[in-house]
Amino acid sequence: MPIFSCNFKLAGVEGHQEIKRPGLTKSIRRLARKTGCDELALISTGECIEVFAAGEKSAQFTADAAAFVHQITEITIKELQRSQQVLDGPETAQRFLFRAIGMEPAGTHRHDIQTFRKQFELAREAGSIGPVFSKLYQRGLWLAEKIRLESNLQKNAITPDSVVSELAKKIFGPLGAHQALIWTGPGACDKFVARLSESGIGKLLFTGSGSENKEISNEYAGQLVEPENLKAILPTIDLMLLFDESALQSLLAMKFADIMHKRRNAPMLLVTLFEWNGVAGRTDPFAKFYNVYTYNRDELENVIAANLKEHQKLTSLVQQLVEKEVDDFLAWSSSKEKYRFGNIIGKSEAMRGLMDLIARIAQTDISVLIDGESGTGKELIALSIHNHSRRVNNRFSAVNCGALPESLLESELFGFVKGAFTGAITNKKGLLEEANHGTIFLDEIGETSPATQVKLLRFLQEGEIKPVGSNETLKLDVRVLTATNRNLEKMVAEDKFRQDLYYRLNVIQMTIPPLRERKDDILPLINHFVQKYARQMHKTVFNADEAARQLLHDYNWPGNVRELENAIERAVALSTVSHITVADLPPNVTHPTDKPGKNNLARDISLKELEKQHIAALLKQHEWNYDLVTEILGIGRTTLWRKMKEYGLSN
Amino acid sequence: MREFLTTLSWAVFLVYGVTLWHYISFFKNKTAAKATLSRRWVIISVAVHSLYLAVLTTRLGHIPVSDTFTLLTACAWFFVVVYLIIELRLKEVTMGVFFLPIILLLQVVSNLFINFDKTLSPVLLELFFEVHVAFMISAYAAFTISCIASIMYILLAREMQSKKLGIFFERLPSLQFIDNLSNHAVNIGLLLVMFGFALGYYMGLGVWEGTWAFDPKMIAVAVSLLIYIVHFVTRRSFGWQGHRAAIVSVVGFSWLLFSFIIVTTFFSKIHNFQ
């Protein structure tokens, strides 16, 4: 799936950072629908708003995006159309990654990483983020962390204003309690002013000959000092910027020694930003004063030159890292991998959510209870959690608790010592011990006996086990994943399953929906299985034909993925041409006995629930035509009303 | 037991050495991973050192503050604990590289001259004595911190005056921060040393009578007290902030080290724990 983005440079546009937050997620969703993109993220940092998208690029895309940006920023569409610029794959990925690590591609401007993350999360909330940008975002986070850990980004003061701000921070620490005075002159001071106020300077004061004083001072909530008040205010100034030679002269005329005496030699930073023309000689007239740090323009330039060297080294390093990341990403997105998470295949909303959840929790040691119908692939999910965790190089063992008799299960799990029971002629390590530092997956956990449940609970809480017949406890570090296809909550209510163990296991619950509820996944699964079995059986079968696909899509799949896999295996084995035809499919698929829509019968639900679902379905089907529905149901109109009220059904 | 203690004492020295090496590597390349590693090593060294002191205490039968060289290692331990607290509170790891050489120095002097079975004068078993020593050690810890901060200040200020911004500008915290740290440490140290001094004087009156006022160690401490009072007064009255205050603090601490090691070894009659 191709990715692309368009960005709107907003230089000189007022109020560009203001995005109306309420309803933003809704509008992102609307835009995603309108443009037909599979994924969409809106990132606004600094002077640029970017719309990242993945999917088929429509011709209308930029226009739609512009309309959207117009809607949330109130910048005129004309302005946007003029500044727009569409980027495709590699550049989009690169820009995205640079945003994620908080840098501009040119390396000059640093963005706020936090802002980026917040905005991305907002898009995620809106549901417009899928596997493609999730992947890119994760790589971005990883990259940012790598850069933070391995390099030193401090040497990025490469403009005079940033050097001044770094100097001030090095002298005063946080600038909140300090005052700066700016003697304006012919040189432009707005950059310095902006940088200082960004650094959180306590107060900005302005004086001097510059005509635009007043304007600047208003913009940055500064204060204009009249020359006659200057003397009184000077001892409270910690940072002085002089843009004019005459400022230096008047400062020297004011008896600088007195000023320093009045401020009890508290440190001062004095920066001169003009050509020295031999006033007071070329030597520093402040050198004799104690605790005054002076920098002139040349000295600032020297510092910048030194920093620039370091900076270039760093930027080229970052550039390389990002380029490699982009290459990897493009290779990944053009491969078949993108709908696969480990071995999980699926592009439905539910499966994407699951993959996202796996990505988020795999790194932790949290317990996960996987629940889903038989054949939905619970073990696959568990394996994928293991493969994405830090335990990947250690063992993953799967135990089916239902397959073993109760006493055997206990000795299998916890091990036994020699002589623990008849036939125990040697010590035997349990599966838990074998899986130390790895992951254990307990399938059909609902089948375990109360005694084993107690032992398991103890293991989960203390991380300790006691092999059968042993007096010594063993400390283990094992991640426990469990699965069940029974309703544990109900079992807890019936006292068949320990409540405390249930809560322990159920920290995160992953529910794998049955295949009939995620029809979107059927097609990728068919492709996958066809390829798998064709390879295995050395057959040249590529796909299923239209009619067969339709049948497979419509079938109810009570046996879920496992049934689908078996059906495909059979079909591949039987097929005589390069694609699967209807004739190759098993008879229960081609002639389903239960029609779609009646699949509720297969589920464990109460009579009331069934009634509610039936009424709701009928109402919906007949567009809330009560007469028709009462006739079908064979009940009176008031009865229908009462039941609707009872079940909370309304149009 | 003797051999074990000797081995342990050098093991302590060794872990401090490793810790210092980690701090240097952190200083050279300031990364979060290295900071965590350094911090882990300080904690390990404190643990090893605590073990050493515990064994020493059981060997001597009392807490190891009874002669110059056991006191040195106890001091080193206490300093590191104080340092660790400061590092954790202020989240400022750069100080370690300046602090640990002092600890190494104290530990090596202690290791070279320590005597594991010295008998103790009964005078020293009094509660007063232990409180006196506790005050003095805490005061020395405070002065050590101030000295370290001052050295950092001087290095950073000099770099900024020279206008060639290098490693100190990049690594050290702000001047104001270091100055405040040093200043607070001196104030606290002054208060503690005054208490300790008064307590020692009161105790000495009861034990030695008359002649002891000219004890070299007492004179030495009185001189350092004077230096720190100068620090306190000039800072307040003459605006000796920053650089000058830092120099006074370094002078005061150098004098303290001098008095602590040299004077007690070669001159003292009363203050030698006999």
Side-chain angles (χ1 to χ4, degrees), chain A residues 149 155 170 264 290 295, chain B residues 170 172 175 236 241 244:
Chain A
L149 283 176
K155 280 210 168 177
K170 232 355 125 176
R264 310 170 71 105
Y290 176 63
Y295 276 75
Chain B
E170 205 172 314
L172 294 181
L175 286 174
R236 256 159 202 71
Q241 300 197 22
R244 285 180 197 163

